[in-house]
Amino acid sequence: MIIIISCLFFGAVAGWLIRGGGEEHPNHEHTHIDEDGVEYTCSMHPQIRQNEPGQCPLCGMALTPVSNKKVGESSPFVLEITPEAVALSNVQTTRVKFGKGSGELTLSGKIQINEQRLKSLAANYAGRVDQLYINFTGQEVQKGQKLATLYSPELVNAQKELLETAKIKDKQPALYQASKEKLRLWKISEAQIAAIESSGEVQTQFDVFADVAGVVIARNIAVGDFVSRGSSLFEIVDLSNVWVMLDAYESDLGPIRKGDALSFQVSAYPGKEFKAKVTYIDPVLNPDTRTVGIRAEATNRDFELKPEMFVSANISTSQAGQSGLVIPKTAILWTGPRSVVYVQVGNKEAPAFEMREIEIGARLGEDYLVLSGIEEGEFVVTNGVFAIDAAAQLSGNYSMMTRPKVKTLDTPEAFRKQLTAFVQSYLDLKDALVKSDMKATLSTIDPAKSNLDKVDMELLDSETHEIWMELLKPLQRSLDKIAESKDLDGQRKHFETVSDNLIEAIEYFGLIGNTIYKQYCPMAFRDNGAYWLSNEIEIRNPYFGEMMLKCGEVKETYLPGKKVASTSDKKPNGHREHQN
């Protein structure tokens, strides 16, 4: 009995503990998140969240994995997700490389009749169709072949006039010639007129002959029909030469020129290639399809090419030989002149992707030239880019739809080139401070001031001129202070002012040439922190020199042509993690 009672007691206690001590759990909606911090949501309905992949119950779209984990303090441009989320979204990347345009562009279209070889055979005189020798469309005819026979009361009367005037042609030659001319206007040949005169009999029926060779594509008459003069009897087309009609989008139109050679294939003859040349480019854009018609002419010797066949064509454009950085078109999110790509900045263990605005150039086949915004060797997302962008938007990061306000202003290239020359002098100054060499530091001041004076503010408009003036005065003043300083501490103090104002200038006006890195040391000036610029990613601290040479971190990368957002990182307060 003691054993039984003990078992019952301990069983009741265990059950009470399993149920959570008797605490009631209200039945309410909640978000499920797995142990790895990954949850799945719908890009169209972000309120739908669950801890496993599936479909949205509202719209049926596949749920997108997002991460609730944050690795440190992230930039709003950078999306950090888990390796599992990368695998589920099938994210793939491609290395940005230097490439050369193949000069080929792939377009689709159809075979069409060459309208210049289309002939409409019209009645030269009114009459009744007594007989047809062409009974169906698609029938081939030769030039001079009999097509139909007509009975024409008007023609009968005209023949009678000819025979009567022939009797008095010696007395009334003008009347005789007028009756013959009337028949000529109805396309009655001289041989037929001579036969009428010699026989002295009126013909009641006249034959209609084909004046071109080709295929009958339309028969507009039947036996017994009465036709008037000018009525279309048959439409005949010569299919020995056909048109290849292609559709080109606006982005494809630039390199296409008249005379460009192209090759095309049709499904009916796999592996067989046909040749043609571009002969016409439609001057008007189709507002419904947003395409422009491209027309090429192709020889159709064996009549293998049938009108309305679909074709896939490769055009050898004038782009051949163009070269530069290229990326696949699947990597680009189109948002206008400046499009968006996602650049891989993390690793396999901690994947991260940075949203980057780029300026694209001409299309090179399935790739696009990149004018600015990325560098050779970087990896861009080419598959799963929409999933990455949707996850960024749901996470509150910048995305294709929520882009930051741009800080960089439109500035003449000549001004940016002069500012870049001053940056080079600044880098010499920074290197001297890294070495803690006062004399070397002083020797860099005059070249820096000289290059600063060469920056021509007259190149700027009123808005940018005012911004530059606010930055120029502290730059000049700080360079003078560095030259007057008696120790390294004083030089470094005024170097910080030069750095801060030069960083502002770069973000407003941009640079030309090499990549520049904005770096930060949180321990400079008694943990107040300080920024500087470097042309190499490796940390070389100018505020401590050899004492703490590698103390710092890269805060931002200024690529040539890359615009800077107005939400640039400000100087942090207090101590932060850093390399030491």
Side-chain angles (χ1 to χ4, degrees):
M1 291 295 294
I2 293 174
I3 294 173
I4 292 172
I5 293 171
S6 300
C7 289
L8 291 173
F9 174 76
F10 286 110
V13 172
W16 181 80
L17 291 173
I18 291 172
R19 290 193 303 271
E23 181 183 350
E24 293 185 0
H25 295 273
N27 184 21
H28 59 82
E29 294 183 0
H30 56 282
T31 299
H32 298 277
I33 302 174
D34 68 4
E35 294 179 356
D36 294 328
V38 180
E39 62 178 337
Y40 298 82
T41 185
C42 176
S43 56
M44 298 297 295
H45 303 94
Q47 70 272 22
I48 303 299
R49 291 175 179 257
Q50 64 183 45
N51 67 335
E52 59 185 3
Q55 292 181 327
C56 175
L58 299 180
C59 64
M61 290 180 61
L63 298 181
T64 303
V66 295
S67 173
N68 285 333
K69 290 185 177 181
K70 293 291 181 181
V71 182
E73 188 175 332
S74 300
S75 164
F77 291 91
V78 178
L79 174 69
E80 299 170 350
I81 58 177
T82 64
E84 293 78 12
V86 171
L88 288 170
S89 299
N90 194 23
V91 174
Q92 298 176 13
T93 59
T94 300
R95 184 176 180 271
V96 179
K97 59 184 180 181
F98 188 87
K100 187 174 182 180
S102 62
E104 284 198 352
L105 185 64
T106 301
L107 300 176
S108 59
K110 291 195 299 185
I111 300 294
Q112 296 285 4
I113 290 170
N114 186 337
E115 295 176 3
Q116 295 172 332
R117 293 174 178 254
L118 178 63
K119 174 72 173 180
S120 180
L121 187 62
N124 296 315
Y125 41 81
R128 184 186 67 239
V129 180
D130 281 352
Q131 195 168 358
L132 277 178
Y133 302 99
I134 300 299
N135 300 316
F136 59 90
T137 58
Q139 190 170 346
E140 292 187 26
V141 297
Q142 302 299 322
K143 186 175 181 179
Q145 182 177 336
K146 188 188 298 185
L147 303 180
T149 299
L150 300 182
Y151 166 73
S152 174
E154 292 181 357
L155 198 55
V156 170
N157 292 332
Q159 293 177 77
K160 291 179 179 180
E161 288 180 9
L162 174 64
L163 294 176
E164 292 297 326
T165 55
K167 296 176 182 179
I168 57 173
K169 61 182 179 181
D170 294 334
K171 296 180 179 180
Q172 298 288 340
L175 191 60
Y176 171 68
Q177 292 297 329
S179 62
K180 291 180 69 174
E181 185 63 27
K182 187 176 183 179
L183 291 172
R184 291 191 193 102
L185 292 175
W186 285 343
K187 305 296 182 183
I188 304 300
S189 66
E190 293 291 342
Q192 288 174 308
I193 294 173
I196 294 170
E197 283 189 72
S198 62
S199 66
E201 296 180 358
V202 175
Q203 297 184 25
T204 58
Q205 292 182 325
F206 274 83
D207 295 326
V208 177
F209 298 94
D211 54 2
V212 292
V215 175
V216 176
I217 62 170
R219 179 175 63 86
N220 303 320
I221 56 173
V223 174
D225 288 348
F226 188 86
V227 296
S228 57
R229 185 180 181 184
S231 298
S232 176
L233 306 179
F234 303 94
E235 290 185 11
I236 303 172
V237 64
D238 179 9
L239 293 178
S240 63
N241 186 282
V242 293
W243 282 350
V244 182
M245 301 298 297
L246 306 171
D247 293 323
Y249 288 100
E250 293 178 71
S251 57
D252 300 330
L253 192 60
I256 302 175
R257 300 287 184 273
K258 289 182 182 179
D260 286 344
L262 65 85
S263 61
F264 63 94
Q265 301 83 34
V266 295
S267 301
Y269 310 105
K272 188 169 184 178
E273 198 170 75
F274 299 88
K275 302 292 184 181
K277 275 192 176 182
V278 176
T279 57
Y280 178 77
I281 300 175
D282 199 330
V284 180
L285 182 78
N286 187 321
D288 297 324
T289 61
R290 305 301 303 170
T291 59
V292 171
I294 306 297
R295 189 174 77 203
E297 289 189 14
T299 302
N300 190 19
R301 294 187 180 88
D302 298 325
F303 301 101
E304 294 176 315
L305 301 174
K306 317 295 184 186
E308 299 302 322
M309 275 185 170
F310 288 106
V311 303
S312 176
N314 294 319
I315 299 181
S316 298
T317 68
S318 56
Q319 277 183 339
Q322 290 192 19
S323 59
L325 293 181
V326 295
I327 60 174
K329 67 178 182 181
T330 55
I332 303 171
L333 295 176
W334 306 94
T335 61
R338 297 189 65 84
S339 299
V340 170
V341 296
Y342 279 89
V343 179
Q344 179 178 313
V345 294
N347 50 45
K348 289 184 177 180
E349 291 73 24
F353 303 94
E354 179 186 0
M355 190 198 83
R356 193 85 61 78
E357 285 193 352
I358 63 170
E359 187 176 359
I360 59 174
R363 179 175 174 178
L364 305 177
E366 295 302 307
D367 299 331
Y368 276 89
L369 279 174
V370 181
L371 304 180
S372 63
I374 53 177
E375 289 187 316
E376 185 177 5
E378 293 185 308
F379 286 84
V380 294
V381 177
T382 52
N383 190 68
V385 62
F386 283 102
I388 295 292
D389 190 75
Q393 186 172 358
L394 293 170
S395 300
N397 286 19
Y398 290 130
S399 66
M400 178 177 66
M401 301 302 295
T402 56
R403 295 154 70 186
K405 184 179 179 181
V406 176
K407 181 177 182 178
T408 306
L409 303 171
D410 291 330
T411 311
E413 184 177 355
F415 183 87
R416 286 184 280 122
K417 188 178 294 186
Q418 295 166 0
L419 181 60
T420 302
F422 173 68
V423 171
Q424 186 57 53
S425 301
Y426 165 88
L427 294 175
D428 295 337
L429 171 61
K430 183 264 301 181
D431 291 338
L433 291 174
V434 168
K435 297 175 183 177
S436 301
D437 189 334
M438 280 191 62
K439 290 184 178 180
T441 301
L442 292 174
S443 66
T444 64
I445 298 302
D446 287 339
K449 292 170 68 175
S450 175
N451 284 327
L452 184 60
D453 292 338
K454 292 177 182 178
V455 179
D456 186 5
M457 65 184 73
E458 298 299 326
L459 297 171
L460 303 176
D461 57 27
S462 57
E463 180 187 1
T464 50
H465 183 275
E466 184 177 348
I467 294 173
W468 173 246
M469 288 302 297
E470 292 179 359
L471 299 172
L472 177 61
K473 292 179 181 179
L475 283 171
Q476 293 173 330
R477 195 161 47 242
S478 298
L479 289 174
D480 291 336
K481 294 290 186 182
I482 293 175
E484 297 170 1
S485 297
K486 305 298 183 182
D487 53 32
L488 278 169
D489 290 340
Q491 290 179 336
R492 285 168 171 157
K493 177 182 177 182
H494 298 296
F495 173 76
E496 182 196 13
T497 305
V498 174
S499 299
D500 290 342
N501 286 276
L502 186 54
I503 289 170
E504 285 287 307
I506 290 175
E507 292 182 351
Y508 274 119
F509 306 115
L511 293 173
I512 293 176
N514 297 327
T515 300
I516 297 294
Y517 301 94
K518 174 184 174 182
Q519 299 175 341
Y520 175 74
C521 173
M523 298 186 68
F525 305 114
R526 298 184 179 181
D527 293 343
N528 286 320
Y531 289 99
W532 74 94
L533 294 171
S534 177
N535 59 346
E536 54 187 0
I537 195 169
E538 188 176 358
I539 299 297
R540 291 289 184 269
N541 194 320
Y543 297 109
F544 288 104
E546 292 295 335
M547 292 176 56
M548 298 175 65
L549 185 62
K550 295 186 178 182
C551 175
E553 58 184 329
V554 176
K555 298 297 293 181
E556 192 157 353
T557 302
Y558 300 122
L559 298 173
K562 177 185 174 182
K563 293 184 179 292
V564 179
S566 61
T567 53
S568 300
D569 293 340
K570 301 302 179 183
K571 186 183 297 186
N573 295 323
H575 180 76
R576 294 187 57 187
E577 293 181 2
H578 59 282
Q579 301 174 14
N580 192 350

PDB file of all heavy atoms in Angstrom, residues 203-230:
ATOM      1  N   GLN A 203     -15.073  39.171-129.727  1.00  0.00           N
ATOM      2  CA  GLN A 203     -14.875  38.157-128.677  1.00  0.00           C
ATOM      3  C   GLN A 203     -15.732  38.525-127.468  1.00  0.00           C
ATOM      4  O   GLN A 203     -15.722  39.662-127.006  1.00  0.00           O
ATOM      5  CB  GLN A 203     -13.401  38.089-128.266  1.00  0.00           C
ATOM      6  CG  GLN A 203     -12.475  37.646-129.382  1.00  0.00           C
ATOM      7  CD  GLN A 203     -11.038  37.508-128.879  1.00  0.00           C
ATOM      8  OE1 GLN A 203     -10.813  37.300-127.696  1.00  0.00           O
ATOM      9  NE2 GLN A 203     -10.100  37.609-129.781  1.00  0.00           N
ATOM     10  N   THR A 204     -16.450  37.528-126.978  1.00  0.00           N
ATOM     11  CA  THR A 204     -17.331  37.783-125.825  1.00  0.00           C
ATOM     12  C   THR A 204     -16.634  37.515-124.482  1.00  0.00           C
ATOM     13  O   THR A 204     -17.093  37.962-123.436  1.00  0.00           O
ATOM     14  CB  THR A 204     -18.582  36.912-125.907  1.00  0.00           C
ATOM     15  OG1 THR A 204     -18.200  35.537-125.962  1.00  0.00           O
ATOM     16  CG2 THR A 204     -19.400  37.282-127.137  1.00  0.00           C
ATOM     17  N   GLN A 205     -15.548  36.767-124.493  1.00  0.00           N
ATOM     18  CA  GLN A 205     -14.829  36.421-123.259  1.00  0.00           C
ATOM     19  C   GLN A 205     -13.355  36.757-123.415  1.00  0.00           C
ATOM     20  O   GLN A 205     -12.765  36.551-124.476  1.00  0.00           O
ATOM     21  CB  GLN A 205     -14.999  34.942-122.927  1.00  0.00           C
ATOM     22  CG  GLN A 205     -16.434  34.552-122.532  1.00  0.00           C
ATOM     23  CD  GLN A 205     -16.542  33.088-122.173  1.00  0.00           C
ATOM     24  OE1 GLN A 205     -15.861  32.251-122.755  1.00  0.00           O
ATOM     25  NE2 GLN A 205     -17.411  32.775-121.227  1.00  0.00           N
ATOM     26  N   PHE A 206     -12.790  37.236-122.305  1.00  0.00           N
ATOM     27  CA  PHE A 206     -11.363  37.551-122.280  1.00  0.00           C
ATOM     28  C   PHE A 206     -10.718  36.890-121.058  1.00  0.00           C
ATOM     29  O   PHE A 206     -11.331  36.825-119.978  1.00  0.00           O
ATOM     30  CB  PHE A 206     -11.143  39.063-122.235  1.00  0.00           C
ATOM     31  CG  PHE A 206     -11.146  39.693-123.595  1.00  0.00           C
ATOM     32  CD1 PHE A 206     -12.353  40.025-124.211  1.00  0.00           C
ATOM     33  CD2 PHE A 206      -9.957  39.911-124.268  1.00  0.00           C
ATOM     34  CE1 PHE A 206     -12.361  40.593-125.466  1.00  0.00           C
ATOM     35  CE2 PHE A 206      -9.966  40.488-125.527  1.00  0.00           C
ATOM     36  CZ  PHE A 206     -11.172  40.826-126.135  1.00  0.00           C
ATOM     37  N   ASP A 207      -9.514  36.410-121.231  1.00  0.00           N
ATOM     38  CA  ASP A 207      -8.793  35.728-120.152  1.00  0.00           C
ATOM     39  C   ASP A 207      -7.999  36.733-119.321  1.00  0.00           C
ATOM     40  O   ASP A 207      -7.494  37.741-119.837  1.00  0.00           O
ATOM     41  CB  ASP A 207      -7.844  34.682-120.731  1.00  0.00           C
ATOM     42  CG  ASP A 207      -8.587  33.554-121.444  1.00  0.00           C
ATOM     43  OD1 ASP A 207      -9.695  33.226-120.974  1.00  0.00           O
ATOM     44  OD2 ASP A 207      -8.056  33.035-122.440  1.00  0.00           O
ATOM     45  N   VAL A 208      -7.863  36.395-118.023  1.00  0.00           N
ATOM     46  CA  VAL A 208      -7.048  37.185-117.090  1.00  0.00           C
ATOM     47  C   VAL A 208      -5.775  36.390-116.810  1.00  0.00           C
ATOM     48  O   VAL A 208      -5.845  35.218-116.414  1.00  0.00           O
ATOM     49  CB  VAL A 208      -7.802  37.456-115.765  1.00  0.00           C
ATOM     50  CG1 VAL A 208      -6.902  38.214-114.786  1.00  0.00           C
ATOM     51  CG2 VAL A 208      -9.086  38.223-116.033  1.00  0.00           C
ATOM     52  N   PHE A 209      -4.628  37.015-117.028  1.00  0.00           N
ATOM     53  CA  PHE A 209      -3.340  36.332-116.882  1.00  0.00           C
ATOM     54  C   PHE A 209      -2.563  36.913-115.688  1.00  0.00           C
ATOM     55  O   PHE A 209      -2.699  38.099-115.357  1.00  0.00           O
ATOM     56  CB  PHE A 209      -2.504  36.478-118.151  1.00  0.00           C
ATOM     57  CG  PHE A 209      -3.138  35.870-119.357  1.00  0.00           C
ATOM     58  CD1 PHE A 209      -3.918  36.642-120.208  1.00  0.00           C
ATOM     59  CD2 PHE A 209      -2.965  34.529-119.631  1.00  0.00           C
ATOM     60  CE1 PHE A 209      -4.517  36.085-121.331  1.00  0.00           C
ATOM     61  CE2 PHE A 209      -3.556  33.953-120.763  1.00  0.00           C
ATOM     62  CZ  PHE A 209      -4.342  34.734-121.598  1.00  0.00           C
ATOM     63  N   ALA A 210      -1.735  36.056-115.068  1.00  0.00           N
ATOM     64  CA  ALA A 210      -0.869  36.499-113.958  1.00  0.00           C
ATOM     65  C   ALA A 210       0.300  37.285-114.518  1.00  0.00           C
ATOM     66  O   ALA A 210       0.967  36.819-115.456  1.00  0.00           O
ATOM     67  CB  ALA A 210      -0.368  35.292-113.173  1.00  0.00           C
ATOM     68  N   ASP A 211       0.539  38.480-113.985  1.00  0.00           N
ATOM     69  CA  ASP A 211       1.680  39.275-114.438  1.00  0.00           C
ATOM     70  C   ASP A 211       2.907  39.095-113.545  1.00  0.00           C
ATOM     71  O   ASP A 211       3.938  39.725-113.778  1.00  0.00           O
ATOM     72  CB  ASP A 211       1.309  40.747-114.552  1.00  0.00           C
ATOM     73  CG  ASP A 211       0.713  41.283-113.263  1.00  0.00           C
ATOM     74  OD1 ASP A 211       0.633  40.516-112.282  1.00  0.00           O
ATOM     75  OD2 ASP A 211       0.326  42.469-113.238  1.00  0.00           O
ATOM     76  N   VAL A 212       2.806  38.259-112.485  1.00  0.00           N
ATOM     77  CA  VAL A 212       3.956  37.916-111.625  1.00  0.00           C
ATOM     78  C   VAL A 212       3.847  36.441-111.259  1.00  0.00           C
ATOM     79  O   VAL A 212       2.766  35.844-111.322  1.00  0.00           O
ATOM     80  CB  VAL A 212       3.988  38.764-110.333  1.00  0.00           C
ATOM     81  CG1 VAL A 212       4.274  40.212-110.619  1.00  0.00           C
ATOM     82  CG2 VAL A 212       2.707  38.598-109.546  1.00  0.00           C
ATOM     83  N   ALA A 213       4.977  35.873-110.876  1.00  0.00           N
ATOM     84  CA  ALA A 213       4.992  34.493-110.372  1.00  0.00           C
ATOM     85  C   ALA A 213       4.942  34.514-108.853  1.00  0.00           C
ATOM     86  O   ALA A 213       5.455  35.437-108.214  1.00  0.00           O
ATOM     87  CB  ALA A 213       6.236  33.776-110.865  1.00  0.00           C
ATOM     88  N   GLY A 214       4.311  33.509-108.271  1.00  0.00           N
ATOM     89  CA  GLY A 214       4.254  33.443-106.812  1.00  0.00           C
ATOM     90  C   GLY A 214       3.184  32.494-106.332  1.00  0.00           C
ATOM     91  O   GLY A 214       2.805  31.544-107.032  1.00  0.00           O
ATOM     92  N   VAL A 215       2.693  32.785-105.112  1.00  0.00           N
ATOM     93  CA  VAL A 215       1.687  31.952-104.466  1.00  0.00           C
ATOM     94  C   VAL A 215       0.439  32.789-104.249  1.00  0.00           C
ATOM     95  O   VAL A 215       0.523  33.930-103.768  1.00  0.00           O
ATOM     96  CB  VAL A 215       2.202  31.394-103.118  1.00  0.00           C
ATOM     97  CG1 VAL A 215       1.115  30.621-102.395  1.00  0.00           C
ATOM     98  CG2 VAL A 215       3.417  30.506-103.350  1.00  0.00           C
ATOM     99  N   VAL A 216      -0.728  32.241-104.600  1.00  0.00           N
ATOM    100  CA  VAL A 216      -1.985  32.940-104.385  1.00  0.00           C
ATOM    101  C   VAL A 216      -2.345  32.857-102.900  1.00  0.00           C
ATOM    102  O   VAL A 216      -2.513  31.757-102.359  1.00  0.00           O
ATOM    103  CB  VAL A 216      -3.107  32.320-105.236  1.00  0.00           C
ATOM    104  CG1 VAL A 216      -4.444  33.003-104.939  1.00  0.00           C
ATOM    105  CG2 VAL A 216      -2.781  32.425-106.717  1.00  0.00           C
ATOM    106  N   ILE A 217      -2.400  34.001-102.237  1.00  0.00           N
ATOM    107  CA  ILE A 217      -2.742  34.004-100.811  1.00  0.00           C
ATOM    108  C   ILE A 217      -4.163  34.488-100.574  1.00  0.00           C
ATOM    109  O   ILE A 217      -4.666  34.409 -99.449  1.00  0.00           O
ATOM    110  CB  ILE A 217      -1.748  34.860-100.008  1.00  0.00           C
ATOM    111  CG1 ILE A 217      -1.792  36.314-100.470  1.00  0.00           C
ATOM    112  CG2 ILE A 217      -0.350  34.296-100.086  1.00  0.00           C
ATOM    113  CD1 ILE A 217      -1.016  37.264 -99.569  1.00  0.00           C
ATOM    114  N   ALA A 218      -4.813  34.995-101.631  1.00  0.00           N
ATOM    115  CA  ALA A 218      -6.206  35.427-101.483  1.00  0.00           C
ATOM    116  C   ALA A 218      -6.900  35.319-102.836  1.00  0.00           C
ATOM    117  O   ALA A 218      -6.379  35.777-103.857  1.00  0.00           O
ATOM    118  CB  ALA A 218      -6.279  36.859-100.958  1.00  0.00           C
ATOM    119  N   ARG A 219      -8.079  34.670-102.850  1.00  0.00           N
ATOM    120  CA  ARG A 219      -8.926  34.599-104.041  1.00  0.00           C
ATOM    121  C   ARG A 219     -10.233  35.292-103.696  1.00  0.00           C
ATOM    122  O   ARG A 219     -11.019  34.814-102.878  1.00  0.00           O
ATOM    123  CB  ARG A 219      -9.182  33.137-104.430  1.00  0.00           C
ATOM    124  CG  ARG A 219     -10.072  32.957-105.643  1.00  0.00           C
ATOM    125  CD  ARG A 219     -10.175  31.491-106.027  1.00  0.00           C
ATOM    126  NE  ARG A 219     -10.796  30.704-104.991  1.00  0.00           N
ATOM    127  CZ  ARG A 219     -12.121  30.530-104.842  1.00  0.00           C
ATOM    128  NH1 ARG A 219     -12.958  31.150-105.658  1.00  0.00           N
ATOM    129  NH2 ARG A 219     -12.588  29.777-103.874  1.00  0.00           N
ATOM    130  N   ASN A 220     -10.474  36.438-104.304  1.00  0.00           N
ATOM    131  CA  ASN A 220     -11.591  37.299-103.921  1.00  0.00           C
ATOM    132  C   ASN A 220     -12.823  37.149-104.821  1.00  0.00           C
ATOM    133  O   ASN A 220     -13.774  37.919-104.674  1.00  0.00           O
ATOM    134  CB  ASN A 220     -11.139  38.762-103.925  1.00  0.00           C
ATOM    135  CG  ASN A 220      -9.956  38.997-103.010  1.00  0.00           C
ATOM    136  OD1 ASN A 220      -9.893  38.437-101.917  1.00  0.00           O
ATOM    137  ND2 ASN A 220      -9.008  39.797-103.454  1.00  0.00           N
ATOM    138  N   ILE A 221     -12.808  36.218-105.750  1.00  0.00           N
ATOM    139  CA  ILE A 221     -13.923  36.058-106.687  1.00  0.00           C
ATOM    140  C   ILE A 221     -14.336  34.598-106.756  1.00  0.00           C
ATOM    141  O   ILE A 221     -13.566  33.695-106.370  1.00  0.00           O
ATOM    142  CB  ILE A 221     -13.536  36.559-108.095  1.00  0.00           C
ATOM    143  CG1 ILE A 221     -12.270  35.825-108.596  1.00  0.00           C
ATOM    144  CG2 ILE A 221     -13.361  38.056-108.116  1.00  0.00           C
ATOM    145  CD1 ILE A 221     -11.914  36.134-110.035  1.00  0.00           C
ATOM    146  N   ALA A 222     -15.544  34.382-107.251  1.00  0.00           N
ATOM    147  CA  ALA A 222     -16.064  33.045-107.535  1.00  0.00           C
ATOM    148  C   ALA A 222     -16.785  33.092-108.868  1.00  0.00           C
ATOM    149  O   ALA A 222     -17.116  34.173-109.390  1.00  0.00           O
ATOM    150  CB  ALA A 222     -17.007  32.601-106.418  1.00  0.00           C
ATOM    151  N   VAL A 223     -17.021  31.943-109.450  1.00  0.00           N
ATOM    152  CA  VAL A 223     -17.702  31.869-110.742  1.00  0.00           C
ATOM    153  C   VAL A 223     -19.097  32.491-110.619  1.00  0.00           C
ATOM    154  O   VAL A 223     -19.856  32.179-109.689  1.00  0.00           O
ATOM    155  CB  VAL A 223     -17.811  30.403-111.212  1.00  0.00           C
ATOM    156  CG1 VAL A 223     -18.654  30.318-112.492  1.00  0.00           C
ATOM    157  CG2 VAL A 223     -16.431  29.830-111.466  1.00  0.00           C
ATOM    158  N   GLY A 224     -19.427  33.385-111.531  1.00  0.00           N
ATOM    159  CA  GLY A 224     -20.721  34.052-111.522  1.00  0.00           C
ATOM    160  C   GLY A 224     -20.693  35.431-110.901  1.00  0.00           C
ATOM    161  O   GLY A 224     -21.671  36.193-111.038  1.00  0.00           O
ATOM    162  N   ASP A 225     -19.593  35.761-110.175  1.00  0.00           N
ATOM    163  CA  ASP A 225     -19.490  37.095-109.567  1.00  0.00           C
ATOM    164  C   ASP A 225     -19.348  38.158-110.647  1.00  0.00           C
ATOM    165  O   ASP A 225     -18.718  37.938-111.696  1.00  0.00           O
ATOM    166  CB  ASP A 225     -18.290  37.172-108.627  1.00  0.00           C
ATOM    167  CG  ASP A 225     -18.504  36.380-107.357  1.00  0.00           C
ATOM    168  OD1 ASP A 225     -19.644  35.961-107.111  1.00  0.00           O
ATOM    169  OD2 ASP A 225     -17.507  36.154-106.622  1.00  0.00           O
ATOM    170  N   PHE A 226     -19.962  39.302-110.418  1.00  0.00           N
ATOM    171  CA  PHE A 226     -19.784  40.453-111.305  1.00  0.00           C
ATOM    172  C   PHE A 226     -18.787  41.400-110.637  1.00  0.00           C
ATOM    173  O   PHE A 226     -18.969  41.800-109.491  1.00  0.00           O
ATOM    174  CB  PHE A 226     -21.117  41.174-111.547  1.00  0.00           C
ATOM    175  CG  PHE A 226     -21.008  42.247-112.593  1.00  0.00           C
ATOM    176  CD1 PHE A 226     -21.146  41.937-113.939  1.00  0.00           C
ATOM    177  CD2 PHE A 226     -20.745  43.565-112.241  1.00  0.00           C
ATOM    178  CE1 PHE A 226     -21.045  42.918-114.918  1.00  0.00           C
ATOM    179  CE2 PHE A 226     -20.622  44.542-113.211  1.00  0.00           C
ATOM    180  CZ  PHE A 226     -20.783  44.223-114.554  1.00  0.00           C
ATOM    181  N   VAL A 227     -17.756  41.732-111.371  1.00  0.00           N
ATOM    182  CA  VAL A 227     -16.709  42.584-110.819  1.00  0.00           C
ATOM    183  C   VAL A 227     -16.689  43.897-111.574  1.00  0.00           C
ATOM    184  O   VAL A 227     -16.991  43.962-112.781  1.00  0.00           O
ATOM    185  CB  VAL A 227     -15.322  41.911-110.904  1.00  0.00           C
ATOM    186  CG1 VAL A 227     -15.297  40.664-110.052  1.00  0.00           C
ATOM    187  CG2 VAL A 227     -14.953  41.584-112.344  1.00  0.00           C
ATOM    188  N   SER A 228     -16.343  44.947-110.860  1.00  0.00           N
ATOM    189  CA  SER A 228     -16.214  46.258-111.476  1.00  0.00           C
ATOM    190  C   SER A 228     -14.746  46.544-111.754  1.00  0.00           C
ATOM    191  O   SER A 228     -13.850  45.854-111.244  1.00  0.00           O
ATOM    192  CB  SER A 228     -16.802  47.341-110.567  1.00  0.00           C
ATOM    193  OG  SER A 228     -16.165  47.318-109.303  1.00  0.00           O
ATOM    194  N   ARG A 229     -14.528  47.544-112.538  1.00  0.00           N
ATOM    195  CA  ARG A 229     -13.141  47.891-112.866  1.00  0.00           C
ATOM    196  C   ARG A 229     -12.392  48.314-111.606  1.00  0.00           C
ATOM    197  O   ARG A 229     -12.873  49.114-110.825  1.00  0.00           O
ATOM    198  CB  ARG A 229     -13.127  49.017-113.893  1.00  0.00           C
ATOM    199  CG  ARG A 229     -11.736  49.369-114.377  1.00  0.00           C
ATOM    200  CD  ARG A 229     -11.794  50.482-115.393  1.00  0.00           C
ATOM    201  NE  ARG A 229     -10.462  50.810-115.885  1.00  0.00           N
ATOM    202  CZ  ARG A 229     -10.192  51.795-116.728  1.00  0.00           C
ATOM    203  NH1 ARG A 229     -11.181  52.545-117.205  1.00  0.00           N
ATOM    204  NH2 ARG A 229      -8.948  52.029-117.125  1.00  0.00           N
ATOM    205  N   GLY A 230     -11.199  47.736-111.411  1.00  0.00           N
ATOM    206  CA  GLY A 230     -10.382  48.034-110.236  1.00  0.00           C
ATOM    207  C   GLY A 230     -10.583  47.071-109.082  1.00  0.00           C
ATOM    208  O   GLY A 230      -9.855  47.132-108.085  1.00  0.00           O
TER     209      GLY A 230
END
